[in-house]
């Protein structure tokens, strides 16, 4: 039940990293009783702790709740709030709101997708960039808007997108 378009984290854990993950997981799980209906709160706790749902965590949660791993993975992949891989070092957010849409937001999103080679919800294979869309940044006067990390760029054009992302050094 995995999404083939989603980049999986294939990096080898650093020495000690897996042990640290296990330790943090044990801490999280120790505040639950092991009941089925705790699955979503546990997933939320793990995501909050790690920023995503590590594969090891999904396995430990399945053991803890005595559920099939496929059930835990199924829930983890079903809800948009959960991420199965770490976000990129940089987050590009493109506005999909009405004001941005009427001023060419869809074209801007396409250009961002082209520059990064990914779709919304995905991360580049080098984990440098993740792409997300937002309903409205509340900066409609600047439409169309793109936010790179915390930097808001308004009145975006495809040329500005290329200037922002075209020289990624890869
Ligand atoms: S619609 Fe894009 S910032 Fe409001």
């Amino acid at each position: 039940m995995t999404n083939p378009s989603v980049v999986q984290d294939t990096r080898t854990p650093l020495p000690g990293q897996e042990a640290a993950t296990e330790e943090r997981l044990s801490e999280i799980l120790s505040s639950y009783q092991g009941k089925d209906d705790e699955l979503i709160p546990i997933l939320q706790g793990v995501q909050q702790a790690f920023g995503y749902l590590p594969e090891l965590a999904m396995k430990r949660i399945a053991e803890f709740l005595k559920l099939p791993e496929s059930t835990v993975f199924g829930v983890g992949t079903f809800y948009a709030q959960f991420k199965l891989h770490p976000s990129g070092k940089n987050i590009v957010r493109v506005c999909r709101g009405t004001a941005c849409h009427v001023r060419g937001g869809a074209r801007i999103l396409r250009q961002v997708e082209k520059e990064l080679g990914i779709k919304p919800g995905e991360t580049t294979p080098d984990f440098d960039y993740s792409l997300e869309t937002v309903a409205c940044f509340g900066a409609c006067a600047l439409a169309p808007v793109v936010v790179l990390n915390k930097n808001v760029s308004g009145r975006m054009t495809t040329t500005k997108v290329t200037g922002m992302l075209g020289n990624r050094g890869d």
Side-chain angles (χ1 to χ4, degrees):
M1 203 145 175
T2 54
N3 180 346
S5 68
V6 170
V7 175
Q8 298 295 319
D9 185 7
T10 54
R11 294 175 293 184
T12 308
L14 297 169
Q17 196 176 32
E18 199 159 299
T21 301
E22 291 270 16
E23 195 176 322
R24 187 76 187 91
L25 280 171
S26 299
E27 277 175 36
I28 294 167
L29 294 175
S30 67
S31 47
Y32 293 92
Q33 296 175 312
K35 295 181 184 162
D36 290 13
D37 61 2
E38 293 173 328
L39 176 54
I40 289 185
I42 290 174
L43 289 173
Q44 287 169 330
V46 169
Q47 167 132 325
Q48 194 172 7
F50 295 97
Y52 74 110
L53 302 176
E55 193 173 336
L56 177 65
M58 306 278 246
K59 290 181 177 166
R60 291 294 172 271
I61 293 168
E63 288 164 11
F64 179 69
L65 297 179
K66 298 184 180 55
L67 289 171
E69 282 182 25
S70 58
T71 302
V72 177
F73 275 86
V75 172
T77 53
F78 180 77
Y79 291 101
Q81 66 174 300
F82 297 125
K83 296 182 179 186
L84 295 188
H85 56 86
S87 293
K89 283 181 253 160
N90 301 286
I91 312 284
V92 182
R93 296 185 172 92
V94 180
C95 184
R96 271 190 159 151
T98 307
C100 288
H101 181 74
V102 298
R103 293 193 194 163
R107 197 171 57 246
I108 298 303
L109 178 58
R110 277 197 304 276
Q111 186 68 21
V112 173
E113 290 174 349
K114 187 176 151 200
E115 295 292 351
L116 298 180
I118 55 175
K119 299 283 183 191
E122 295 180 354
T123 297
T124 55
D126 57 8
F127 289 90
D128 269 351
Y129 286 87
S130 291
L131 173 57
E132 297 176 0
T133 57
V134 171
C136 175
F137 287 110
C140 311
L142 299 177
V145 177
V146 174
V147 175
L148 172 59
N149 299 322
K150 291 183 177 167
N151 299 318
V152 179
S153 298
R155 303 202 173 88
M156 287 301 285
T157 62
T158 52
T159 308
K160 282 189 184 175
V161 169
T162 301
M164 178 189 275
L165 304 170
N167 256 332
R168 304 199 298 120
D170 57 1

